[in-house]
Amino acid sequence: MDTNQQNDQNLQQYDLIVVGGGMVGAAIACGVAPAGMKIALLEAADQEPVWNAEGVDPRVSALTEASRLFLDSLNAWHGMTQNRVTPYQQMKVWEADGTGHIEFNCDDVFAENIGHIVENSVTLTSLIEQSKQFDNIHWHRGIRIEGISPVLDSQKDAEGVQRQVYLQDGRVLQAGLIVAADGARSRLREWGGFDTREWDYGHEAIVTTIKLEQPHQGTCWQRFMPTGPLALLPITFKGDDHYCSIVWSTTPDECARLMALDEAGFCAELSLSFEHKLGKVLSCDPRFSFPLRQRHAKRYWQPGLVLAGDAAHTIHPLAGQGVNLGLLDAATLVEELTAAWQRKQPLGIEQTLGKYQRRRMPDNLKMMALMEGFKRLYGPVPLPLRWLRNTGMSLVNNTPLVKKQLLRQALGERDGLPENAQVHLA
Ligand SMILES: Cc1cc2nc3c(=O)[nH]c(=O)nc-3n(C[C@H](O)[C@H](O)[C@H](O)COP(=O)(O)OP(=O)(O)OC[C@H]3O[C@@H](n4cnc5c(N)ncnc54)[C@H](O)[C@@H]3O)c2cc1C
């Protein structure tokens, strides 16, 4: 057999290759599959994730109504509700260093809930289950990618573009478009040579599940401290509403100290830091910590290659927006790719991908700027600014119109959303 024959045997042709079978990659595959494209979905992990009914996954997300609608359009939401989702109706935010506080209630915008706290494994397993309904989605698990074909330098070349993914086992996968949904440390972003703005927040986040003396009241709680925000997100576990998932963002030194404490010591510190708002913290699951970095690719596409989700942007978890932005990327990409496919246009060209970038980049940048502003404002600041901050927070709390606007944003309502994620409030 000559080398060309061998190469032909190793080449597998697809219409679309999605790299990364996380929440964003799996959602994109499920979203475009009904159009009939032949899709390869590549995931590095050998094992399919499992959801454990007997314990709470330490990684949870506060999903907005826009994300819920999109997941519902993929037929994944129903499966998620069969496992575990916790709706919340209120958010209470206050600061450690003063009297500033703000409270939101879904009744203010005549909505049933503000959002849902969902374990990442619940969302992902339901999307994977859904993806199996489609014969045209081919999962490749436990794969190792060695590289991708080089960047094309002219738009003219892009018209008939075919990009390749080279696997360690010698196989070559080819398609008109590769979607990089391979997470925050995306190798595809690196191989594609995408310029990225990146900086360290100087924060690490501790996540775990805790049991409290008092019920969570269907409320997301957030206390801003000079070292960083502490969030308690309600989880109803086997009908018991005394559980919360925590995201405690703090300085690396403080994180190391908190991680080194034994369970009783950590629970005591947490009760104190949370000002005993829900009584004592009675117990906590094993803790995990993550360094927090902000990243944003300066562009999201090049001929035959597009970035989505954390591969395009990572953001501070203080407002729980990371995967919500990623799911909106997914919903928008699904809309643009499906339309291009139906018009029989190539997927990997400016007309399709440039539009996706124009629709998503301003929204992502706005959210990132907001989070950076929050992080700075609530960090250690001089006394006059602290006074202003306190007054501002309470002022917003007493200004129903501004509060409603913020609440609508929290539900994910804004202009230009894809059809399958549009929130309509009264
Ligand atoms: C502490 C913390 C708390 C958070 N809380 C929230 C919250 O409340 N709300 C919210 O919206 N967001 C939250 N986020 C952010 C959220 O978790 C991420 O935005 C989300 O997981 C991104 O999804 P993704 O699919 O883009 O990437 P990932 O979830 O990282 O998935 C990427 C997938 O690609 C695979 N992969 C990687 N490299 C390769 C490769 N070379 N080949 C094949 N496969 C590969 C990985 O195995 C993985 O399965 C939080 C983040 C942190 C750190």
Side-chain angles (χ1 to χ4, degrees):
M1 200 187 301
D2 66 22
T3 323
N4 278 347
Q5 274 176 316
Q6 224 170 18
N7 285 349
D8 284 352
Q9 275 196 351
N10 286 338
L11 185 78
Q12 298 180 7
Q13 183 68 44
Y14 287 93
D15 298 310
L16 182 71
I17 298 171
V18 181
V19 178
M23 291 183 276
V24 172
I28 292 169
C30 288
V32 292
M37 296 171 211
K38 186 177 171 195
I39 303 158
L41 185 43
L42 276 53
E43 169 54 47
D46 302 316
Q47 305 289 326
E48 250 185 43
V50 282
W51 172 70
N52 175 13
E54 299 308 314
V56 179
D57 181 357
R59 294 290 306 263
V60 306
S61 299
L63 296 179
T64 60
E65 179 61 7
S67 293
R68 190 195 70 76
L69 288 168
F70 175 50
L71 290 163
D72 196 32
S73 78
L74 303 177
N75 295 321
W77 180 253
H78 179 70
M80 291 164 63
T81 59
Q82 302 294 296
N83 290 340
R84 189 159 47 224
V85 304
T86 306
Y88 61 95
Q89 295 76 35
Q90 292 190 88
M91 291 195 292
K92 294 189 180 182
V93 181
W94 73 104
E95 65 166 314
D97 247 7
T99 53
H101 78 285
I102 185 161
E103 292 186 17
F104 297 98
N105 194 308
C106 60
D107 293 343
D108 295 342
V109 287
F110 308 104
E112 217 173 301
N113 304 299
I114 296 178
H116 292 80
I117 305 300
V118 187
E119 292 148 76
N120 290 0
S121 54
V122 168
T123 308
L124 191 51
T125 50
S126 185
L127 282 167
I128 292 172
E129 217 33 60
Q130 193 50 34
S131 73
K132 291 181 183 163
Q133 310 297 315
F134 297 101
D135 294 340
N136 53 331
I137 298 181
H138 300 192
W139 275 92
H140 298 259
R141 272 202 172 275
I143 52 98
R144 297 283 168 269
I145 301 179
E146 291 208 312
I148 54 171
S149 54
V151 185
L152 297 166
D153 32 52
S154 85
Q155 185 53 40
K156 191 165 150 280
D157 291 341
E159 288 296 326
V161 68
Q162 287 292 315
R163 299 284 302 250
Q164 280 120 17
V165 176
Y166 306 117
L167 304 190
Q168 209 175 43
D169 61 13
R171 279 179 299 155
V172 178
L173 272 49
Q174 177 171 282
L177 178 64
I178 304 169
V179 178
D182 53 341
R185 286 188 288 175
S186 167
R187 294 301 303 277
L188 270 81
R189 185 182 63 220
E190 194 185 305
W191 287 327
F194 286 90
D195 266 353
T196 306
R197 277 187 73 217
E198 178 165 352
W199 67 94
D200 203 327
Y201 279 122
H203 268 171
E204 298 201 8
I206 302 173
V207 298
T208 186
T209 310
I210 58 169
K211 186 162 190 191
L212 291 140
E213 213 170 14
Q214 292 168 23
H216 55 57
Q217 303 170 21
T219 302
C220 283
W221 310 78
Q222 180 136 280
R223 179 178 187 242
F224 281 98
M225 294 179 276
T227 43
L230 164 64
L232 268 71
L233 311 171
I235 297 278
T236 301
F237 175 58
K238 294 187 170 183
D240 184 345
D241 58 1
H242 287 72
Y243 290 86
C244 278
S245 179
I246 70 155
V247 184
W248 192 345
S249 310
T250 186
T251 59
D253 286 350
E254 182 64 357
C255 176
R257 189 184 70 78
L258 291 169
M259 288 298 285
L261 294 172
D262 62 12
E263 185 184 341
F266 182 77
C267 290
E269 285 262 354
L270 185 56
S271 308
L272 210 62
S273 293
F274 194 59
E275 297 175 349
H276 293 91
K277 289 266 181 207
L278 295 175
K280 279 192 200 139
V281 177
L282 302 176
S283 64
C284 89
D285 282 353
R287 286 154 264 165
F288 298 88
S289 70
F290 303 86
L292 299 177
R293 293 185 76 76
Q294 171 145 303
R295 290 187 193 83
H296 189 253
K298 289 185 182 164
R299 58 181 300 183
Y300 292 173
W301 74 279
Q302 56 180 244
L305 178 61
V306 66
L307 310 177
D310 271 22
H313 43 75
T314 49
I315 182 174
H316 199 292
L318 75 85
Q321 284 301 316
V323 83
N324 291 299
L325 295 181
L327 288 172
L328 286 181
D329 291 352
T332 309
L333 204 51
V334 165
E335 220 170 65
E336 294 301 334
L337 295 181
T338 304
W341 181 258
Q342 283 163 352
R343 289 195 300 260
K344 302 201 181 336
Q345 274 176 346
L347 303 179
I349 60 171
E350 205 276 337
Q351 206 175 334
T352 314
L353 305 180
K355 195 159 169 215
Y356 157 71
Q357 175 173 305
R358 284 193 295 281
R359 290 179 66 187
R360 289 305 306 143
M361 195 179 262
D363 191 36
N364 290 332
L365 277 173
K366 201 165 86 184
M367 192 56 80
M368 295 180 94
L370 197 67
M371 288 314 106
E372 182 60 20
F374 262 121
K375 201 227 149 213
R376 284 179 192 209
L377 186 64
Y378 287 98
V381 292
L383 203 62
L385 190 55
R386 215 184 303 160
W387 175 81
L388 207 65
R389 188 174 74 183
N390 264 289
T391 316
M393 212 182 203
S394 302
L395 198 70
V396 169
N397 197 42
N398 293 318
T399 316
L401 259 177
V402 179
K403 242 172 87 165
K404 265 189 197 170
Q405 209 46 42
L406 286 171
L407 192 51
R408 284 172 179 271
Q409 283 274 331
L411 273 115
E413 189 205 47
R414 45 199 179 266
D415 292 337
L417 286 185
E419 189 111 343
N420 46 13
Q422 258 171 33
V423 180
H424 298 287
L425 294 170

